Amino acid sequence: MSTRLLLGGSASALALALGACGTTDTSEKIAATSTLPTTTSTSQVEVTLPTATPVVTVSSGPEATEALTTLNTLAVKGRAPKTGYDRALFGQAWTDDVNVDSGRNGCDTRNDILRRDLTNIALKPGSNGCAVQSGTLADPYTGTTIPFVRGQQTSSAVQIDHVVALSDAWQKGAQQLSPAQRADFANDPRNLQATDGPTNQQKGDGDAATWLPPNRSYRCTYVARQVEVKAAYQLWVTQAEKDAITRVLGGCGAAVPTSSTRQVPNTRTSTATPIPEPTYTPPTTTYTPPPAAEVPSSVYYSNCSEVRAAGADPIYAGQPGYSSKLDRDGDGVACE
């Protein structure tokens, strides 16, 4: 439903000026009585305020599958160096001089997005119906409600995030875009989201592989928006980034082909069959006693000391000087 303001006929000049700002597609209610001059005329002119087109959302498997199909059309490359990056390369911040939705509507991009994403908004007097003075943000990144009040100390509570960060885009193809194309990228409503200031600062220039919104229920829409923007500006993704987006979309019901993700090497460990230790079997030997020395048959040894003194040890059974008293273990070998 469009948001409209009713003005007196005497304020027709102001009505024409506001009408030049474009059209809206939001249900927010604007407190106009505190921002516009009063009139005594009874005639009324209907004026439509400009608002960026709502972004794509993913809430079902078919939508997630469509985003995955688009993801698979993107080139997969490594991240280029950040050398030479500067915010100024993407044009003047929040310029209205761009060729995207809500461009050249008479209002700066930041306020276009605030009017799109906030509710219960009040406009700043004297801003031609563009500047948001206050409102309420249902932050999709955190799932919290954040009040917004325009002011030097309060405006930063609600910041405008580039869904695909400018630095990330620079390292993934935006270096090849023209200055006008980069300005369009930086102000394209598809790539912009009002969100909690500290959360936006925490994200920095991270891609889907390094940062996702804390609110898990919004992650499907978040990565689908990144895919949509990168496809529109012919930017690429890294392999890690593609894997991360594929996992998120798969969790949302996307039909993920087996070949769309990298195969993880099989890391299973196998237990080797133990080899039994060999049983030691001592070799079988047959003892052959040396030939008996020729000694007198009358040799007699009273003990083994005498046998050793005579150099006759050991004495085997049947040899001269052998006696059972010298063979203590009875194995046929005396004085061994």
PDB file of all heavy atoms in Angstrom, residues 85-95 98 162 164-171 174-175 177-187 235:
ATOM      1  N   TYR A  85      41.908  -0.092  -3.264  1.00  0.00           N
ATOM      2  CA  TYR A  85      40.512   0.131  -2.872  1.00  0.00           C
ATOM      3  C   TYR A  85      40.355   1.448  -2.124  1.00  0.00           C
ATOM      4  O   TYR A  85      41.158   1.800  -1.257  1.00  0.00           O
ATOM      5  CB  TYR A  85      40.007  -1.004  -1.982  1.00  0.00           C
ATOM      6  CG  TYR A  85      38.679  -0.673  -1.327  1.00  0.00           C
ATOM      7  CD1 TYR A  85      37.502  -0.680  -2.071  1.00  0.00           C
ATOM      8  CD2 TYR A  85      38.617  -0.308   0.020  1.00  0.00           C
ATOM      9  CE1 TYR A  85      36.295  -0.350  -1.486  1.00  0.00           C
ATOM     10  CE2 TYR A  85      37.414   0.016   0.615  1.00  0.00           C
ATOM     11  CZ  TYR A  85      36.253  -0.002  -0.140  1.00  0.00           C
ATOM     12  OH  TYR A  85      35.052   0.337   0.443  1.00  0.00           O
ATOM     13  N   ASP A  86      39.280   2.163  -2.451  1.00  0.00           N
ATOM     14  CA  ASP A  86      38.919   3.385  -1.745  1.00  0.00           C
ATOM     15  C   ASP A  86      37.417   3.572  -1.881  1.00  0.00           C
ATOM     16  O   ASP A  86      36.841   3.333  -2.945  1.00  0.00           O
ATOM     17  CB  ASP A  86      39.652   4.598  -2.339  1.00  0.00           C
ATOM     18  CG  ASP A  86      39.498   5.842  -1.467  1.00  0.00           C
ATOM     19  OD1 ASP A  86      38.417   6.459  -1.522  1.00  0.00           O
ATOM     20  OD2 ASP A  86      40.454   6.174  -0.747  1.00  0.00           O
ATOM     21  N   ARG A  87      36.769   3.984  -0.798  1.00  0.00           N
ATOM     22  CA  ARG A  87      35.313   4.176  -0.827  1.00  0.00           C
ATOM     23  C   ARG A  87      34.907   5.139  -1.934  1.00  0.00           C
ATOM     24  O   ARG A  87      33.844   4.979  -2.565  1.00  0.00           O
ATOM     25  CB  ARG A  87      34.836   4.689   0.542  1.00  0.00           C
ATOM     26  CG  ARG A  87      33.363   5.122   0.581  1.00  0.00           C
ATOM     27  CD  ARG A  87      32.442   3.961   0.287  1.00  0.00           C
ATOM     28  NE  ARG A  87      31.036   4.340   0.337  1.00  0.00           N
ATOM     29  CZ  ARG A  87      30.356   4.891  -0.677  1.00  0.00           C
ATOM     30  NH1 ARG A  87      30.984   5.150  -1.825  1.00  0.00           N
ATOM     31  NH2 ARG A  87      29.084   5.183  -0.556  1.00  0.00           N
ATOM     32  N   ALA A  88      35.738   6.133  -2.211  1.00  0.00           N
ATOM     33  CA  ALA A  88      35.409   7.133  -3.224  1.00  0.00           C
ATOM     34  C   ALA A  88      35.282   6.533  -4.617  1.00  0.00           C
ATOM     35  O   ALA A  88      34.662   7.136  -5.506  1.00  0.00           O
ATOM     36  CB  ALA A  88      36.462   8.233  -3.223  1.00  0.00           C
ATOM     37  N   LEU A  89      35.861   5.348  -4.833  1.00  0.00           N
ATOM     38  CA  LEU A  89      35.771   4.705  -6.140  1.00  0.00           C
ATOM     39  C   LEU A  89      34.350   4.251  -6.461  1.00  0.00           C
ATOM     40  O   LEU A  89      34.044   3.904  -7.602  1.00  0.00           O
ATOM     41  CB  LEU A  89      36.721   3.506  -6.194  1.00  0.00           C
ATOM     42  CG  LEU A  89      38.214   3.853  -6.146  1.00  0.00           C
ATOM     43  CD1 LEU A  89      39.042   2.594  -5.942  1.00  0.00           C
ATOM     44  CD2 LEU A  89      38.631   4.551  -7.434  1.00  0.00           C
ATOM     45  N   PHE A  90      33.479   4.241  -5.441  1.00  0.00           N
ATOM     46  CA  PHE A  90      32.082   3.862  -5.629  1.00  0.00           C
ATOM     47  C   PHE A  90      31.172   5.092  -5.632  1.00  0.00           C
ATOM     48  O   PHE A  90      29.970   4.985  -5.401  1.00  0.00           O
ATOM     49  CB  PHE A  90      31.647   2.872  -4.549  1.00  0.00           C
ATOM     50  CG  PHE A  90      32.241   1.500  -4.740  1.00  0.00           C
ATOM     51  CD1 PHE A  90      33.530   1.224  -4.301  1.00  0.00           C
ATOM     52  CD2 PHE A  90      31.525   0.488  -5.366  1.00  0.00           C
ATOM     53  CE1 PHE A  90      34.087  -0.041  -4.479  1.00  0.00           C
ATOM     54  CE2 PHE A  90      32.076  -0.768  -5.545  1.00  0.00           C
ATOM     55  CZ  PHE A  90      33.367  -1.036  -5.106  1.00  0.00           C
ATOM     56  N   GLY A  91      31.759   6.261  -5.893  1.00  0.00           N
ATOM     57  CA  GLY A  91      30.970   7.482  -6.014  1.00  0.00           C
ATOM     58  C   GLY A  91      30.692   8.151  -4.691  1.00  0.00           C
ATOM     59  O   GLY A  91      31.018   7.644  -3.615  1.00  0.00           O
ATOM     60  N   GLN A  92      30.054   9.291  -4.758  1.00  0.00           N
ATOM     61  CA  GLN A  92      29.689  10.035  -3.559  1.00  0.00           C
ATOM     62  C   GLN A  92      28.693   9.224  -2.734  1.00  0.00           C
ATOM     63  O   GLN A  92      27.745   8.643  -3.267  1.00  0.00           O
ATOM     64  CB  GLN A  92      29.060  11.374  -3.948  1.00  0.00           C
ATOM     65  CG  GLN A  92      28.631  12.225  -2.764  1.00  0.00           C
ATOM     66  CD  GLN A  92      27.962  13.519  -3.213  1.00  0.00           C
ATOM     67  OE1 GLN A  92      28.009  13.871  -4.391  1.00  0.00           O
ATOM     68  NE2 GLN A  92      27.329  14.209  -2.277  1.00  0.00           N
ATOM     69  N   ALA A  93      28.922   9.163  -1.437  1.00  0.00           N
ATOM     70  CA  ALA A  93      28.057   8.360  -0.572  1.00  0.00           C
ATOM     71  C   ALA A  93      26.614   8.831  -0.648  1.00  0.00           C
ATOM     72  O   ALA A  93      26.320  10.016  -0.514  1.00  0.00           O
ATOM     73  CB  ALA A  93      28.559   8.423   0.871  1.00  0.00           C
ATOM     74  N   TRP A  94      25.715   7.879  -0.901  1.00  0.00           N
ATOM     75  CA  TRP A  94      24.264   8.079  -0.908  1.00  0.00           C
ATOM     76  C   TRP A  94      23.805   9.082  -1.972  1.00  0.00           C
ATOM     77  O   TRP A  94      22.797   9.739  -1.813  1.00  0.00           O
ATOM     78  CB  TRP A  94      23.754   8.496   0.463  1.00  0.00           C
ATOM     79  CG  TRP A  94      24.232   7.632   1.590  1.00  0.00           C
ATOM     80  CD1 TRP A  94      24.767   8.058   2.775  1.00  0.00           C
ATOM     81  CD2 TRP A  94      24.227   6.206   1.655  1.00  0.00           C
ATOM     82  NE1 TRP A  94      25.105   6.986   3.565  1.00  0.00           N
ATOM     83  CE2 TRP A  94      24.783   5.821   2.905  1.00  0.00           C
ATOM     84  CE3 TRP A  94      23.826   5.190   0.786  1.00  0.00           C
ATOM     85  CZ2 TRP A  94      24.937   4.495   3.289  1.00  0.00           C
ATOM     86  CZ3 TRP A  94      23.979   3.865   1.167  1.00  0.00           C
ATOM     87  CH2 TRP A  94      24.529   3.539   2.408  1.00  0.00           C
ATOM     88  N   THR A  95      24.556   9.164  -3.055  1.00  0.00           N
ATOM     89  CA  THR A  95      24.161  10.072  -4.121  1.00  0.00           C
ATOM     90  C   THR A  95      22.857   9.623  -4.778  1.00  0.00           C
ATOM     91  O   THR A  95      22.570   8.418  -4.876  1.00  0.00           O
ATOM     92  CB  THR A  95      25.254  10.170  -5.200  1.00  0.00           C
ATOM     93  OG1 THR A  95      24.810  11.031  -6.242  1.00  0.00           O
ATOM     94  CG2 THR A  95      25.570   8.806  -5.805  1.00  0.00           C
ATOM     95  N   VAL A  98      22.099   8.245  -9.764  1.00  0.00           N
ATOM     96  CA  VAL A  98      22.401   6.871 -10.155  1.00  0.00           C
ATOM     97  C   VAL A  98      21.259   6.309 -10.991  1.00  0.00           C
ATOM     98  O   VAL A  98      20.133   6.820 -10.964  1.00  0.00           O
ATOM     99  CB  VAL A  98      22.626   5.973  -8.912  1.00  0.00           C
ATOM    100  CG1 VAL A  98      23.971   6.257  -8.261  1.00  0.00           C
ATOM    101  CG2 VAL A  98      21.501   6.147  -7.903  1.00  0.00           C
ATOM    102  N   HIS A 162      25.705  -2.431   3.263  1.00  0.00           N
ATOM    103  CA  HIS A 162      25.831  -2.971   1.912  1.00  0.00           C
ATOM    104  C   HIS A 162      25.852  -4.491   2.059  1.00  0.00           C
ATOM    105  O   HIS A 162      26.814  -5.052   2.600  1.00  0.00           O
ATOM    106  CB  HIS A 162      27.114  -2.472   1.233  1.00  0.00           C
ATOM    107  CG  HIS A 162      27.040  -1.048   0.797  1.00  0.00           C
ATOM    108  ND1 HIS A 162      27.503   0.005   1.569  1.00  0.00           N
ATOM    109  CD2 HIS A 162      26.527  -0.485  -0.337  1.00  0.00           C
ATOM    110  CE1 HIS A 162      27.296   1.150   0.934  1.00  0.00           C
ATOM    111  NE2 HIS A 162      26.711   0.882  -0.223  1.00  0.00           N
ATOM    112  N   VAL A 164      26.331  -6.885   0.002  1.00  0.00           N
ATOM    113  CA  VAL A 164      27.655  -7.263  -0.517  1.00  0.00           C
ATOM    114  C   VAL A 164      28.551  -6.059  -0.265  1.00  0.00           C
ATOM    115  O   VAL A 164      28.368  -4.998  -0.859  1.00  0.00           O
ATOM    116  CB  VAL A 164      27.619  -7.581  -2.022  1.00  0.00           C
ATOM    117  CG1 VAL A 164      29.029  -7.859  -2.539  1.00  0.00           C
ATOM    118  CG2 VAL A 164      26.709  -8.772  -2.291  1.00  0.00           C
ATOM    119  N   ALA A 165      29.485  -6.205   0.647  1.00  0.00           N
ATOM    120  CA  ALA A 165      30.328  -5.084   1.052  1.00  0.00           C
ATOM    121  C   ALA A 165      31.103  -4.523  -0.137  1.00  0.00           C
ATOM    122  O   ALA A 165      31.494  -5.254  -1.052  1.00  0.00           O
ATOM    123  CB  ALA A 165      31.296  -5.533   2.143  1.00  0.00           C
ATOM    124  N   LEU A 166      31.335  -3.212  -0.113  1.00  0.00           N
ATOM    125  CA  LEU A 166      32.039  -2.565  -1.214  1.00  0.00           C
ATOM    126  C   LEU A 166      33.449  -3.136  -1.380  1.00  0.00           C
ATOM    127  O   LEU A 166      33.901  -3.390  -2.499  1.00  0.00           O
ATOM    128  CB  LEU A 166      32.101  -1.051  -0.978  1.00  0.00           C
ATOM    129  CG  LEU A 166      30.757  -0.324  -0.829  1.00  0.00           C
ATOM    130  CD1 LEU A 166      30.988   1.186  -0.733  1.00  0.00           C
ATOM    131  CD2 LEU A 166      29.819  -0.648  -1.984  1.00  0.00           C
ATOM    132  N   SER A 167      34.147  -3.327  -0.286  1.00  0.00           N
ATOM    133  CA  SER A 167      35.502  -3.883  -0.361  1.00  0.00           C
ATOM    134  C   SER A 167      35.488  -5.301  -0.910  1.00  0.00           C
ATOM    135  O   SER A 167      36.353  -5.685  -1.702  1.00  0.00           O
ATOM    136  CB  SER A 167      36.156  -3.857   1.022  1.00  0.00           C
ATOM    137  OG  SER A 167      37.404  -4.526   1.014  1.00  0.00           O
ATOM    138  N   ASP A 168      34.507  -6.091  -0.482  1.00  0.00           N
ATOM    139  CA  ASP A 168      34.393  -7.457  -0.995  1.00  0.00           C
ATOM    140  C   ASP A 168      34.139  -7.430  -2.497  1.00  0.00           C
ATOM    141  O   ASP A 168      34.725  -8.210  -3.253  1.00  0.00           O
ATOM    142  CB  ASP A 168      33.256  -8.187  -0.274  1.00  0.00           C
ATOM    143  CG  ASP A 168      33.090  -9.614  -0.762  1.00  0.00           C
ATOM    144  OD1 ASP A 168      34.019 -10.423  -0.549  1.00  0.00           O
ATOM    145  OD2 ASP A 168      32.045  -9.923  -1.363  1.00  0.00           O
ATOM    146  N   ALA A 169      33.258  -6.527  -2.942  1.00  0.00           N
ATOM    147  CA  ALA A 169      32.969  -6.398  -4.372  1.00  0.00           C
ATOM    148  C   ALA A 169      34.220  -5.990  -5.141  1.00  0.00           C
ATOM    149  O   ALA A 169      34.496  -6.492  -6.235  1.00  0.00           O
ATOM    150  CB  ALA A 169      31.854  -5.381  -4.587  1.00  0.00           C
ATOM    151  N   TRP A 170      35.016  -5.079  -4.561  1.00  0.00           N
ATOM    152  CA  TRP A 170      36.234  -4.607  -5.218  1.00  0.00           C
ATOM    153  C   TRP A 170      37.189  -5.758  -5.487  1.00  0.00           C
ATOM    154  O   TRP A 170      37.849  -5.810  -6.533  1.00  0.00           O
ATOM    155  CB  TRP A 170      36.910  -3.560  -4.338  1.00  0.00           C
ATOM    156  CG  TRP A 170      38.208  -3.024  -4.879  1.00  0.00           C
ATOM    157  CD1 TRP A 170      39.476  -3.361  -4.493  1.00  0.00           C
ATOM    158  CD2 TRP A 170      38.364  -2.042  -5.913  1.00  0.00           C
ATOM    159  NE1 TRP A 170      40.407  -2.661  -5.202  1.00  0.00           N
ATOM    160  CE2 TRP A 170      39.757  -1.835  -6.091  1.00  0.00           C
ATOM    161  CE3 TRP A 170      37.469  -1.310  -6.701  1.00  0.00           C
ATOM    162  CZ2 TRP A 170      40.274  -0.937  -7.022  1.00  0.00           C
ATOM    163  CZ3 TRP A 170      37.983  -0.422  -7.626  1.00  0.00           C
ATOM    164  CH2 TRP A 170      39.375  -0.232  -7.786  1.00  0.00           C
ATOM    165  N   GLN A 171      37.249  -6.701  -4.562  1.00  0.00           N
ATOM    166  CA  GLN A 171      38.169  -7.830  -4.694  1.00  0.00           C
ATOM    167  C   GLN A 171      37.597  -8.982  -5.520  1.00  0.00           C
ATOM    168  O   GLN A 171      38.280  -9.978  -5.740  1.00  0.00           O
ATOM    169  CB  GLN A 171      38.544  -8.347  -3.298  1.00  0.00           C
ATOM    170  CG  GLN A 171      39.287  -7.320  -2.459  1.00  0.00           C
ATOM    171  CD  GLN A 171      39.509  -7.804  -1.043  1.00  0.00           C
ATOM    172  OE1 GLN A 171      40.411  -8.591  -0.767  1.00  0.00           O
ATOM    173  NE2 GLN A 171      38.670  -7.341  -0.119  1.00  0.00           N
ATOM    174  N   ALA A 174      34.594  -5.888  -9.067  1.00  0.00           N
ATOM    175  CA  ALA A 174      34.161  -4.496  -9.219  1.00  0.00           C
ATOM    176  C   ALA A 174      35.272  -3.599  -9.751  1.00  0.00           C
ATOM    177  O   ALA A 174      34.991  -2.491 -10.233  1.00  0.00           O
ATOM    178  CB  ALA A 174      33.633  -3.953  -7.893  1.00  0.00           C
ATOM    179  N   GLN A 175      36.516  -4.050  -9.678  1.00  0.00           N
ATOM    180  CA  GLN A 175      37.599  -3.251 -10.247  1.00  0.00           C
ATOM    181  C   GLN A 175      37.416  -3.059 -11.752  1.00  0.00           C
ATOM    182  O   GLN A 175      37.867  -2.069 -12.332  1.00  0.00           O
ATOM    183  CB  GLN A 175      38.953  -3.924  -9.986  1.00  0.00           C
ATOM    184  CG  GLN A 175      39.330  -4.014  -8.520  1.00  0.00           C
ATOM    185  CD  GLN A 175      40.720  -4.575  -8.308  1.00  0.00           C
ATOM    186  OE1 GLN A 175      41.614  -4.341  -9.112  1.00  0.00           O
ATOM    187  NE2 GLN A 175      40.920  -5.324  -7.224  1.00  0.00           N
ATOM    188  N   LEU A 177      34.446  -2.756 -13.216  1.00  0.00           N
ATOM    189  CA  LEU A 177      33.248  -1.970 -13.501  1.00  0.00           C
ATOM    190  C   LEU A 177      33.625  -0.522 -13.779  1.00  0.00           C
ATOM    191  O   LEU A 177      34.662  -0.030 -13.325  1.00  0.00           O
ATOM    192  CB  LEU A 177      32.274  -2.036 -12.324  1.00  0.00           C
ATOM    193  CG  LEU A 177      31.720  -3.416 -11.949  1.00  0.00           C
ATOM    194  CD1 LEU A 177      30.810  -3.297 -10.726  1.00  0.00           C
ATOM    195  CD2 LEU A 177      30.976  -4.054 -13.110  1.00  0.00           C
ATOM    196  N   SER A 178      32.757   0.176 -14.482  1.00  0.00           N
ATOM    197  CA  SER A 178      32.975   1.602 -14.726  1.00  0.00           C
ATOM    198  C   SER A 178      32.614   2.387 -13.468  1.00  0.00           C
ATOM    199  O   SER A 178      31.915   1.875 -12.585  1.00  0.00           O
ATOM    200  CB  SER A 178      32.099   2.077 -15.886  1.00  0.00           C
ATOM    201  OG  SER A 178      30.727   2.041 -15.506  1.00  0.00           O
ATOM    202  N   PRO A 179      33.090   3.635 -13.330  1.00  0.00           N
ATOM    203  CA  PRO A 179      32.713   4.444 -12.164  1.00  0.00           C
ATOM    204  C   PRO A 179      31.206   4.555 -11.996  1.00  0.00           C
ATOM    205  O   PRO A 179      30.697   4.505 -10.861  1.00  0.00           O
ATOM    206  CB  PRO A 179      33.357   5.799 -12.465  1.00  0.00           C
ATOM    207  CG  PRO A 179      34.558   5.457 -13.305  1.00  0.00           C
ATOM    208  CD  PRO A 179      34.099   4.314 -14.163  1.00  0.00           C
ATOM    209  N   ALA A 180      30.457   4.708 -13.087  1.00  0.00           N
ATOM    210  CA  ALA A 180      29.003   4.815 -12.993  1.00  0.00           C
ATOM    211  C   ALA A 180      28.386   3.515 -12.489  1.00  0.00           C
ATOM    212  O   ALA A 180      27.448   3.526 -11.678  1.00  0.00           O
ATOM    213  CB  ALA A 180      28.414   5.180 -14.355  1.00  0.00           C
ATOM    214  N   GLN A 181      28.921   2.390 -12.955  1.00  0.00           N
ATOM    215  CA  GLN A 181      28.410   1.099 -12.492  1.00  0.00           C
ATOM    216  C   GLN A 181      28.699   0.881 -11.015  1.00  0.00           C
ATOM    217  O   GLN A 181      27.873   0.324 -10.286  1.00  0.00           O
ATOM    218  CB  GLN A 181      29.015  -0.027 -13.330  1.00  0.00           C
ATOM    219  CG  GLN A 181      28.502  -0.082 -14.759  1.00  0.00           C
ATOM    220  CD  GLN A 181      29.251  -1.090 -15.598  1.00  0.00           C
ATOM    221  OE1 GLN A 181      30.477  -1.261 -15.474  1.00  0.00           O
ATOM    222  NE2 GLN A 181      28.538  -1.782 -16.479  1.00  0.00           N
ATOM    223  N   ARG A 182      29.878   1.319 -10.568  1.00  0.00           N
ATOM    224  CA  ARG A 182      30.199   1.168  -9.144  1.00  0.00           C
ATOM    225  C   ARG A 182      29.302   2.062  -8.288  1.00  0.00           C
ATOM    226  O   ARG A 182      28.897   1.681  -7.181  1.00  0.00           O
ATOM    227  CB  ARG A 182      31.672   1.468  -8.894  1.00  0.00           C
ATOM    228  CG  ARG A 182      32.614   0.376  -9.417  1.00  0.00           C
ATOM    229  CD  ARG A 182      34.009   0.495  -8.808  1.00  0.00           C
ATOM    230  NE  ARG A 182      34.717   1.668  -9.280  1.00  0.00           N
ATOM    231  CZ  ARG A 182      35.550   1.681 -10.309  1.00  0.00           C
ATOM    232  NH1 ARG A 182      35.756   0.569 -11.002  1.00  0.00           N
ATOM    233  NH2 ARG A 182      36.181   2.789 -10.667  1.00  0.00           N
ATOM    234  N   ALA A 183      28.966   3.263  -8.787  1.00  0.00           N
ATOM    235  CA  ALA A 183      28.049   4.139  -8.049  1.00  0.00           C
ATOM    236  C   ALA A 183      26.662   3.506  -7.979  1.00  0.00           C
ATOM    237  O   ALA A 183      25.991   3.559  -6.938  1.00  0.00           O
ATOM    238  CB  ALA A 183      27.986   5.515  -8.708  1.00  0.00           C
ATOM    239  N   ASP A 184      26.220   2.887  -9.070  1.00  0.00           N
ATOM    240  CA  ASP A 184      24.941   2.176  -9.058  1.00  0.00           C
ATOM    241  C   ASP A 184      24.970   1.051  -8.025  1.00  0.00           C
ATOM    242  O   ASP A 184      24.016   0.874  -7.258  1.00  0.00           O
ATOM    243  CB  ASP A 184      24.646   1.586 -10.442  1.00  0.00           C
ATOM    244  CG  ASP A 184      24.261   2.633 -11.465  1.00  0.00           C
ATOM    245  OD1 ASP A 184      23.992   3.792 -11.066  1.00  0.00           O
ATOM    246  OD2 ASP A 184      24.233   2.311 -12.669  1.00  0.00           O
ATOM    247  N   PHE A 185      26.071   0.302  -8.009  1.00  0.00           N
ATOM    248  CA  PHE A 185      26.218  -0.810  -7.061  1.00  0.00           C
ATOM    249  C   PHE A 185      26.082  -0.313  -5.620  1.00  0.00           C
ATOM    250  O   PHE A 185      25.400  -0.930  -4.803  1.00  0.00           O
ATOM    251  CB  PHE A 185      27.579  -1.474  -7.269  1.00  0.00           C
ATOM    252  CG  PHE A 185      27.883  -2.564  -6.286  1.00  0.00           C
ATOM    253  CD1 PHE A 185      27.466  -3.864  -6.511  1.00  0.00           C
ATOM    254  CD2 PHE A 185      28.596  -2.304  -5.117  1.00  0.00           C
ATOM    255  CE1 PHE A 185      27.740  -4.879  -5.607  1.00  0.00           C
ATOM    256  CE2 PHE A 185      28.878  -3.293  -4.205  1.00  0.00           C
ATOM    257  CZ  PHE A 185      28.448  -4.594  -4.451  1.00  0.00           C
ATOM    258  N   ALA A 186      26.747   0.788  -5.312  1.00  0.00           N
ATOM    259  CA  ALA A 186      26.762   1.304  -3.940  1.00  0.00           C
ATOM    260  C   ALA A 186      25.417   1.865  -3.513  1.00  0.00           C
ATOM    261  O   ALA A 186      25.169   2.031  -2.306  1.00  0.00           O
ATOM    262  CB  ALA A 186      27.830   2.382  -3.796  1.00  0.00           C
ATOM    263  N   ASN A 187      24.534   2.165  -4.461  1.00  0.00           N
ATOM    264  CA  ASN A 187      23.246   2.778  -4.130  1.00  0.00           C
ATOM    265  C   ASN A 187      22.051   1.943  -4.579  1.00  0.00           C
ATOM    266  O   ASN A 187      20.916   2.403  -4.535  1.00  0.00           O
ATOM    267  CB  ASN A 187      23.167   4.168  -4.768  1.00  0.00           C
ATOM    268  CG  ASN A 187      24.143   5.149  -4.153  1.00  0.00           C
ATOM    269  OD1 ASN A 187      23.870   5.771  -3.131  1.00  0.00           O
ATOM    270  ND2 ASN A 187      25.313   5.282  -4.774  1.00  0.00           N
ATOM    271  N   LEU A 235      29.818 -10.187 -10.563  1.00  0.00           N
ATOM    272  CA  LEU A 235      30.912 -10.398  -9.625  1.00  0.00           C
ATOM    273  C   LEU A 235      31.071 -11.897  -9.381  1.00  0.00           C
ATOM    274  O   LEU A 235      30.165 -12.684  -9.639  1.00  0.00           O
ATOM    275  CB  LEU A 235      30.630  -9.669  -8.309  1.00  0.00           C
ATOM    276  CG  LEU A 235      30.315  -8.177  -8.427  1.00  0.00           C
ATOM    277  CD1 LEU A 235      30.050  -7.596  -7.044  1.00  0.00           C
ATOM    278  CD2 LEU A 235      31.435  -7.425  -9.128  1.00  0.00           C
TER     279      LEU A 235
END
